[in-house]
Amino acid sequence: MIIKRRRRKVPGLNTASIADISFTLLILFLVVTSMDEDKGLTRHLPPVNNEVQTPTEMLDRNVMRMEIAADNHLTINGKPADISQVRSQVMRFVDNPDNSPLLPEKHLIEIYGLGRCAVTDGHVIQIVADRDASYDTYFQVQNEIVAAYIQLRDRLARSRFHQSYATCSEEQRMALREYYPQRVAEEYTEGKGGES
C-alpha cells in the first residue's frame, strides 16, 4: 500500500498589525524621550545691514572695561579683581546709586509703568577676552554680569510692583529692562594683548 503524504502549507505570518505596533512604539518613544534645551548665553545681535557703522564716542565714566588675560586673570578698569567681585561692581556701576561723577551719567526718561526715572541708559560693560583664556573664566564673568542685572531688576520689581521680577507681567518686565538695559560689548584679542 502506498501512503500518500499531503503537502502541508506553511502558514503565513499575519503582518497586519505590525504597522500599528510600530506607530505606537514611535509615539511612545517621542513622548517618553526628553529633549534637551539649548544652553548658552542670550544675546541680541545688531541687525545686519550694509552700512559701515562708525564707532560712537563714549565718556570713560560710561564704560566698565573687564579684561580676561590669557592666564585667566581678571582686571576691572585696570585693577586686578576676582570673579566673586564682578556682580557687586557691575551692580554699583549700572545703578550708580549716589550719582557719582565717576560712574555712568544718569538721564531722566519716561518709562511706561514706572513714570519719570533717572537711569544710566548710556552705560556699557566691555569684556576684552584673550583668545587663550579659558571658556570657564569667560562664562563665569558672563554669568556674574547677567546675575547682577537680574538682581537689580528683581530689587526694583519688589520696590515698585511688590513682587519678584520672575512673577511680573511681560509689560512690567519690559519696563524693568528699560530701567536697567543690559549693554555688554565683547572684544577678543590674540595673545600678548594684540588685537585681532
Side-chain angles (χ1 to χ4, degrees):
M1 164 161 143
I2 298 179
I3 300 175
K4 253 187 170 178
R5 290 189 169 180
R6 283 192 235 162
R7 288 197 169 190
R8 293 185 183 175
K9 289 185 178 180
V10 177
L13 188 61
N14 185 2
T15 60
S17 64
I18 288 182
D20 294 335
I21 293 171
S22 300
F23 187 67
T24 305
L25 286 173
L26 177 65
I27 290 175
L28 174 74
F29 286 123
L30 286 174
V31 170
V32 173
T33 303
S34 64
M35 300 292 177
D36 291 335
E37 293 182 21
D38 290 338
K39 295 180 182 176
L41 301 170
T42 305
R43 292 287 177 259
H44 294 284
L45 299 176
V48 176
N49 58 14
N50 295 331
E51 298 175 14
V52 176
Q53 294 183 353
T54 57
T56 57
E57 291 294 320
M58 295 195 72
L59 297 174
D60 285 340
R61 71 183 273 189
N62 289 338
V63 179
M64 174 183 263
R65 185 178 171 99
M66 296 186 185
E67 294 184 52
I68 304 171
D71 59 358
N72 298 320
H73 283 89
L74 175 67
T75 59
I76 299 177
N77 291 333
K79 297 177 184 171
D82 190 53
I83 291 177
S84 62
Q85 301 170 327
V86 171
R87 186 181 309 189
S88 62
Q89 288 195 25
V90 167
M91 287 178 67
R92 179 161 169 64
F93 176 78
V94 172
D95 196 24
N96 191 4
D98 305 324
N99 202 10
S100 168
L102 302 175
L103 296 175
E105 56 191 345
K106 290 193 167 196
H107 303 104
L108 280 174
I109 62 169
E110 185 73 31
I111 300 176
Y112 181 77
L114 294 175
R116 199 155 173 80
C117 305
V119 299
T120 59
D121 58 345
H123 74 275
V124 172
I125 298 171
Q126 181 183 27
I127 302 172
V128 180
D130 192 292
R131 290 193 186 275
D132 295 332
S134 73
Y135 282 118
D136 185 48
T137 304
Y138 174 77
F139 284 121
Q140 285 179 20
V141 169
Q142 284 279 2
N143 284 337
E144 289 300 311
I145 292 170
V146 170
Y149 279 101
I150 289 171
Q151 198 168 339
L152 285 169
R153 291 171 182 166
D154 191 64
R155 187 175 64 194
L156 183 63
R158 288 180 190 282
S159 70
R160 294 288 181 99
F161 302 125
H162 308 292
Q163 59 185 335
S164 69
Y165 178 75
T167 58
C168 286
S169 68
E170 185 56 36
E171 187 176 277
Q172 291 170 332
R173 286 185 191 183
M174 283 177 58
L176 294 167
R177 285 192 298 264
E178 191 174 347
Y179 193 98
Y180 291 120
Q182 187 170 330
R183 303 187 64 191
V184 179
E186 298 174 6
E187 186 179 325
Y188 303 97
T189 60
E190 288 293 333
K192 299 184 182 174
E195 284 188 25
S196 61

